């Protein structure tokens, strides 16, 4: 496998739901950056590669279907460092496609029950992991840390000329960096894919950790999570099918489908001013 190269393309989307409100809609196809390290997964990992190589081993966390686990395993294979994946819950055999892929890439898998997983950043839990696995570079769940925010800020610098730039939000790292990288007059809109209302505080925490304070004009939209992380409804499934039929783009139901549903719903409500250029990032 070869490393990612270049930036991702932008395409204009002809969709009557936005057009009849005078809104021009664009897609930033970050999912096309690399087949194994798409979109924000690559942007988050890019500036973590140096310390990963220095330590020789990365340990990170995720659920059984985590794209972050998958991407970290692929990055280890491509860039030459060992990887350990701490998976939420009990081991189930045979492994699902995500974990089987991670294992093929050389990732060593271990498991924490859900109670212990909620305490995964506590010193005692981390000490036990270090006793078992030795020294490692710790990468948070979802890959969101200061290095990841700096990588996502490069995304903001790639999209001049758009009034609103949208992204899905799970851990807040992509929005934190995107907003910091936008030019004055642009604003970032993150669509939460989970409920709870805690993401704005997390985005601010990541920006403080990276830059010392809040950066950019941004907001989290909390009205399109469809019941919580990875939750789905008939309405969302129907939207995914319709979007693929209209535009030839298959949205993933966990992240980008919820964002695009929200973008189009807001456009229909008149939430964007007439003439606005709205860009949605397909994160992969």
């Amino acid at each position: 496998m070869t490393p990612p190269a270049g930036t991702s393309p932008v395409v204009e989307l002809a969709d009557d739901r936005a057009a009849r409100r005078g809104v021009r809609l664009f897609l930033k196809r970050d999912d096309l950056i690399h087949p194994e390290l798409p979109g924000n997964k690559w942007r988050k990992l890019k500036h973590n590669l140096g310390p990963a190589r220095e330590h020789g081993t990365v340990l990170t966390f995720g659920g059984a279907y985590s794209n972050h686990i998958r991407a970290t395993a692929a990055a280890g294979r491509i860039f030459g460092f060992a990887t350990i994946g701490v998976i939420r819950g009990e081991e189930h055999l045979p492994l699902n496609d995500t974990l089987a892929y991670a294992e093929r890439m050389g990732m060593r898998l271990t498991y924490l029950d859900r109670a212990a997983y909620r305490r995964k950043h506590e010193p005692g839990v981390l000490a036990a992991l270090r006793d078992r696995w030795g020294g490692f570079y710790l990468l948070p769940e979802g890959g969101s840390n200061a290095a990841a925010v700096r990588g996502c800020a490069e995304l903001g610098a790639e999209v001049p000329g758009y009034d609103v730039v949208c992204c899905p939000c799970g851990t807040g790292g992509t929005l934190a960096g995107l907003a910091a990288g936008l030019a004055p007059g642009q604003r970032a809109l993150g669509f939460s894919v989970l409920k709870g209302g805690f993401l704005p505080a997390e985005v601010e925490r990541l920006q403080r950790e990276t830059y010392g304070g809040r950066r950019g004009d941004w907001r989290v939209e909390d009205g399109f999570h469809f019941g919580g992380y990875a939750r789905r409804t008939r309405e969302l499934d129907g939207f995914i099918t319709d979007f693929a039929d209209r535009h030839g783009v298959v949205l993933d139901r966990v992240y980008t489908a919820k964002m695009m549903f929200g973008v189009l719903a807001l456009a229909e409500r008149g939430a964007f001013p007439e003439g606005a250029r709205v860009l949605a990032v397909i994160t992969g």
Side-chain angles (χ1 to χ4, degrees):
M1 291 189 289
T2 57
T7 61
S8 59
V10 173
V11 296
E12 186 162 6
L13 199 68
D15 195 296
D16 60 293
R17 291 166 289 189
R20 61 175 166 251
R21 287 290 189 168
V23 174
R24 294 182 65 186
L25 187 58
F26 301 81
L27 300 184
K28 172 76 165 166
R29 294 298 305 274
D30 248 26
D31 56 317
L32 302 179
I33 285 178
H34 190 276
E36 309 302 332
L37 297 173
N40 64 342
K41 300 298 180 284
W42 165 243
R43 294 183 187 277
K44 288 181 176 183
L45 285 165
K46 180 179 178 181
H47 293 292
N48 279 293
L49 294 177
R53 285 166 160 170
E54 289 176 13
H55 285 77
T57 301
V58 165
L59 181 142
T60 195
F61 302 90
Y65 295 90
S66 167
N67 287 329
H68 167 66
I69 288 289
R70 181 186 177 96
T72 301
R77 170 63 63 87
I78 294 169
F79 295 101
F81 53 85
T83 55
I84 301 164
V86 182
I87 309 303
R88 180 179 63 249
E90 306 299 326
E91 181 181 24
H92 294 283
L93 297 175
L95 296 175
N96 66 38
D97 290 346
T98 298
L99 298 183
Y101 173 88
E103 200 169 64
R104 288 198 304 274
M105 292 298 102
M107 177 174 274
R108 292 170 287 174
L109 301 176
T110 187
Y111 298 82
L112 285 178
D113 64 66
R114 292 178 182 275
Y117 192 89
R118 285 193 292 271
R119 299 183 289 107
K120 59 185 176 295
H121 296 311
E122 293 181 5
V125 174
L126 292 175
L129 289 170
R130 293 191 188 280
D131 286 344
R132 178 177 179 184
W133 298 103
F136 53 74
Y137 177 63
L138 179 65
L139 196 58
E141 183 176 27
S144 291
N145 59 9
V149 171
R150 290 195 297 273
C152 291
E154 295 172 4
L155 167 61
E158 290 177 18
V159 291
Y162 299 97
D163 301 295
V164 183
V165 184
C166 307
C167 69
C169 289
T171 57
T174 302
L175 179 60
L178 169 64
L182 293 176
Q186 293 181 287
R187 61 185 176 98
L189 182 59
F191 289 81
S192 176
V193 302
L194 36 78
K195 62 182 179 180
F198 60 88
L199 269 175
E202 186 62 13
V203 174
E204 288 206 26
R205 183 192 69 79
L206 286 164
Q207 289 195 330
R208 285 196 306 271
E209 180 183 332
T210 309
Y211 303 110
R214 183 173 174 127
R215 288 286 184 91
D217 181 358
W218 59 266
R219 182 175 68 82
V220 175
E221 170 57 60
D222 196 37
F224 300 98
H225 54 66
F226 288 87
Y229 184 76
R231 296 292 181 87
R232 62 195 297 178
T233 66
R234 288 184 180 179
E235 185 180 25
L236 183 64
D237 287 346
F239 173 80
I240 293 170
T241 300
D242 177 70
F243 195 89
D245 290 343
R246 288 175 183 242
H247 305 299
V249 177
V250 179
L251 303 169
D252 83 275
R253 64 181 179 85
V254 177
Y255 290 99
T256 56
K258 294 181 178 181
M259 171 191 66
M260 287 309 308
F261 188 103
V263 168
L264 287 165
L266 291 179
E268 288 188 295
R269 294 175 194 172
F272 304 119
E274 186 173 352
R277 291 165 55 89
V278 178
L279 176 75
V281 182
I282 305 299
T283 50

